[in-house]
Amino acid sequence: MSGYKLSYFPVRARAEPIRLLLADQGASWTDEEVQMADWFSGKSEIKKTAVFGQLPKFQHGDFVLYQSNSILRYLGRIYGISGSNNQESALIDMVNDGVEDLRLKYGRLIFFEYETGKEKYIKDLPNQLSAFERILSNNSNGTKFLVGDKISYADYNFLDILHCHIDLDPKCLTSFPLLSAYVERIASRPKLSEYLKSEKRNKRPITPKHKSFSL
């Protein structure tokens, strides 16, 4: 098997953590943009074969995989960034599940409650972020990654959702020194930094209802 292909809508959303991982690991891939009008009108051929009727779709040669977190875990195993032992792997899975919980709350706000719930969401956000600040503090006093001494697939997922929230509220990390330093540290990794600054990334909005985040 050789070659990666990522099929998704022309936004960042759930495909972006996958792109962050691939870019940072020095992998090349092809982005296939699926137009939303075609998807929702039923004209998209890919929708007819999509497991669970969802994107992203990830192809590694002849191997096809759906569900964004499953794709992240798959790539985590390929690149050896899923934990150095069973306990680390379990902790990485746990933290990634926590990121998924936060992503679902964020998505509910953006798509269903933005006009009426933004103020309340931002007010409650410190309660959501404090758990991740504690997680960082318990690993080398917050100077490394979410788990262990090596970056994991969960870090890419977490960096992306933090970027989403910084776009929503630029001051959201003010009271979280470890999270603030974490974003700067991970985003400054050479290959990842190059991707984050690329025109290809920054032309994509975060979601269909959200303005583009630029570094």
Side-chain angles (χ1 to χ4, degrees), residues 41-150:
S41 69
K43 294 180 181 179
S44 175
E45 290 297 321
I46 194 174
K47 188 173 185 178
K48 298 175 182 178
T49 57
V51 176
F52 309 117
Q54 296 176 333
L55 295 178
K57 172 185 178 182
F58 184 78
Q59 292 177 257
H60 183 183
D62 295 329
F63 178 66
V64 177
L65 190 64
Y66 291 86
Q67 296 293 324
S68 56
N69 285 299
S70 293
I71 296 167
L72 285 173
R73 288 191 293 268
Y74 173 70
L75 290 170
R77 289 189 286 270
I78 286 178
Y79 291 102
I81 50 173
S82 293
S84 61
N85 54 53
N86 288 338
Q87 290 184 343
E88 272 197 8
S89 296
L91 288 173
I92 290 167
D93 285 344
M94 178 193 75
V95 174
N96 195 65
D97 285 349
V99 175
E100 173 66 10
D101 288 344
L102 182 57
R103 187 177 294 278
L104 290 173
K105 292 174 183 176
Y106 170 81
R108 185 164 59 247
L109 169 72
I110 296 300
F111 289 103
F112 303 108
E113 302 171 358
Y114 191 79
E115 298 300 328
T116 60
K118 181 181 177 182
E119 184 177 346
K120 180 180 178 182
Y121 184 92
I122 291 176
K123 184 177 180 180
D124 184 61
L125 187 55
N127 294 326
Q128 307 300 320
L129 296 177
S130 60
F132 294 102
E133 183 86 352
R134 288 194 299 272
I135 289 170
L136 282 176
S137 70
N138 290 331
N139 185 32
S140 299
N141 296 315
T143 60
K144 294 185 178 180
F145 307 101
L146 288 170
V147 178
D149 297 328
K150 187 177 182 180

Side-chain angles (χ1 to χ4, degrees), residues 4-64:
Y4 296 140
K5 182 178 179 181
L6 182 61
S7 302
Y8 198 60
F9 309 110
V11 295
R12 298 179 203 173
R14 284 191 172 274
E16 195 62 13
I18 300 165
R19 297 187 187 108
L20 297 180
L21 187 159
L22 291 171
D24 191 46
Q25 295 300 317
S28 59
W29 74 95
T30 300
D31 278 302
E32 178 188 30
E33 289 192 350
V34 179
Q35 299 306 312
M36 293 183 187
D38 293 339
W39 179 267
F40 289 110
S41 69
K43 294 180 181 179
S44 175
E45 290 297 321
I46 194 174
K47 188 173 185 178
K48 298 175 182 178
T49 57
V51 176
F52 309 117
Q54 296 176 333
L55 295 178
K57 172 185 178 182
F58 184 78
Q59 292 177 257
H60 183 183
D62 295 329
F63 178 66
V64 177

